Amino acid sequence: MPSATDAWGLWEDRFASFLDAQAADADAAHDRAHVERVVSTARRLAEDEEAQMDIVVPAAWLHDCVVVPKDAPDRAQAAARAADAARDFLAEAGYPEEWLPDIAHAIAAHSYSGDVAPDTVEAKVVQDADRLDALGAIGIARCFTVGGALDQSLYHPDDPFCDDRTPDDDTYTLDHFYAKLLRLPDTMQTEAGRTEATRRAAYMRSYLRRLGTEISADGPAAGDEEPQSSES
């Protein structure tokens, strides 16, 4: 069975090879490193939730195995297409058939834009793991990577933090924090996921406060400067 340690190593090599072949054109925010982080986080959450690893691990590896650009009109279909592609691959590869429906569901339900509710604990784990990678320090890095790739403006010059306007994350990268990212903790499905999402969102808010001092007309407020090194 795949859950045996030696078998998992072989299966994960196959998952990775399929992913690399299918998603060679993935943007830098959805690359192999992103998937590996999601797999690692999903494993931890699965242990906490006593979820079935035979479902969680392949679903985490293959959740982005179909590439649809972030600005494509059919972006919302990416997860459903990935679910179909993953199921076909796993069936052909001889992965135990009993797990395939739940793996496909976990992949289809991971997407924020796909509007598929996670009906199993495994789907909840994979969704949380993927969303956690959009938060915290790595989430900040990924957000600006995508914004740069889409040639968006960094922020609205008159209202950077959406104080008096509706976020427009098709135009301004920083608006994506308010349109989606800072809302993610409220969507988490597992207790451990909610705890970590809250911690990461707090870090993002501290980053935004610091950014506000740096882009204000007066510059950083007194006391906001980084301390000088005491080394000579």
Side-chain angles (χ1 to χ4, degrees):
M1 292 294 292
S3 55
T5 302
D6 55 346
W8 264 131
L10 295 173
W11 275 111
E12 290 196 77
D13 286 344
R14 300 180 76 175
F15 301 155
S17 294
F18 178 74
L19 175 70
D20 290 343
Q22 290 286 113
D25 295 333
D27 64 73
H30 298 84
D31 59 5
R32 171 77 172 269
H34 159 69
V35 172
E36 290 178 349
R37 290 191 301 271
V38 171
V39 171
S40 179
T41 301
R43 284 183 181 277
R44 293 196 298 271
L45 295 178
E47 290 176 356
D48 290 339
E49 298 294 323
E50 298 183 354
Q52 178 56 256
M53 290 290 186
D54 299 276
I55 298 168
V56 169
V57 173
W61 267 108
L62 303 175
H63 76 280
D64 278 344
C65 70
V66 170
V67 176
V68 179
K70 292 289 285 186
D71 57 346
D74 56 348
R75 172 66 183 181
Q77 299 301 314
R81 294 179 187 175
D84 290 342
R87 185 169 187 164
D88 290 346
F89 158 69
L90 292 170
E92 184 176 348
Y95 198 80
E97 185 176 354
E98 63 189 289
W99 307 125
L100 299 187
D102 283 343
I103 292 170
H105 171 66
I107 294 173
H110 90 272
S111 172
Y112 187 85
S113 59
D115 198 28
V116 175
D119 292 333
T120 66
V121 64
E122 290 80 15
K124 293 176 181 180
V125 162
V126 173
Q127 185 184 96
D128 279 10
D130 184 61
R131 294 185 182 189
L132 282 172
D133 207 54
L135 293 169
I138 191 63
I140 293 171
R142 293 179 69 218
C143 181
F144 288 119
T145 295
V146 171
L150 297 177
D151 199 27
Q152 294 177 340
S153 297
L154 186 58
Y155 56 82
H156 190 292
D158 299 321
D159 186 1
F161 304 105
C162 302
D163 291 326
D164 299 305
R165 62 185 179 84
T166 300
D168 175 14
D169 59 351
D170 288 330
T171 304
Y172 304 106
T173 300
L174 200 64
D175 284 25
H176 194 55
F177 284 69
Y178 301 97
K180 175 183 176 182
L181 302 183
L182 293 175
R183 299 178 179 182
L184 289 180
D186 291 336
T187 74
M188 304 305 283
Q189 302 286 329
T190 69
E191 183 176 353
R194 282 190 294 274
T195 298
E196 179 63 10
T198 299
R199 186 183 70 83
R200 293 191 186 197
Y203 176 84
M204 296 176 85
R205 290 189 178 92
S206 70
Y207 165 79
L208 292 171
R209 288 192 295 270
R210 175 64 190 182
L211 181 63
T213 69
E214 294 185 6
I215 65 177
S216 69
D218 297 329
D224 280 343
E225 293 81 359
E226 296 294 331
Q228 295 289 329
S229 172
S230 60
E231 296 180 2
S232 57

